[in-house]
Amino acid sequence: MLQSLFGDTYNLIHFTMRWLHVFFGVIWIGHLYYFNFVQGAFMNETDPNAKSQVLQKLAPRALWWFRYGALGTFLTGVIMLSYKGHLDAASHGSAVFASSYWISILTGSLLGTLMFLNVWLVIWPKQKIVIANAKQTANGGQPIPEAAAAGVRATVASRTNTLFSIPLLFFMVGSSHLGYQITENSQVTLYWIVALIVIGAIQGNALYGKTGPMTTIRGVITSGFVLTLALSGLVTVLV
């Protein structure tokens, strides 16, 4: 039955991983947008007691789904692309990775990988400090000195992930639709150099900088579309 439905083992594996990738991705990105577009605005407007309750009871639950949604998205993506990359390289050689599909999907994958690392290495560790501080002060204890700085760093990384998510979705979806041609005049290496510099600078800000134009919801969405236009423009000019 499965063979008649999917045709062969490759299609079965690829479809299954893509299906699960989208499933986990909805959980992950859905919570990312909830934190940035809904909970963040509420926390800025509510009273200290309600804010404490959110941090103690709601945030830990939401962050569990958030980080494991990210993990599931990342792992299924790695499996799917590794399997497809192995088969494509076996059929067409390493030059296949300079195709429009692989340039687009790897651009999206780079952004997704940075987002995944931000979740597990920045946002979650910093939010644990913020949550611990809320519980400690609610029980009459002293505030944790580094809680404020931890909250700021988690916010910058979360805003950066929101920014990255817009070009990520563009290139992931576009991998099967952006059929630009690679010619002898294409400068694929230069594209990757410039793209890495641009993306790396934004990621560096996530680790050490401030929210800047990402402070507001409108600003972070606008920044995401600007980055999408910049990266797609690089593809148009260099590839």
Side-chain angles (χ1 to χ4, degrees), residues 151-161 205-207 209-211 214:
V152 170
R153 185 52 46 212
T155 297
V156 179
S158 184
R159 290 291 188 176
T160 301
N161 274 13
N205 183 76
L207 300 177
K210 300 180 179 180
T211 52
M214 300 182 292

Side-chain angles (χ1 to χ4, degrees), residues 16 32 44 54 57 64 105 134 142 161 167 174 176 179 184-185 196 215 219 221 225 231:
T16 302
L32 174 67
N44 289 332
V54 169
K57 299 177 181 179
W64 190 94
I105 204 70
Q142 293 297 314
N161 274 13
S176 298
E184 60 182 13
N185 295 320
L196 287 170
T215 301
I221 293 175
F225 279 99
L231 293 175

Side-chain angles (χ1 to χ4, degrees), residues 41-54:
F42 173 78
M43 297 289 270
N44 289 332
E45 299 171 355
T46 194
D47 60 87
N49 182 62
K51 184 175 182 179
S52 177
Q53 289 297 306
V54 169

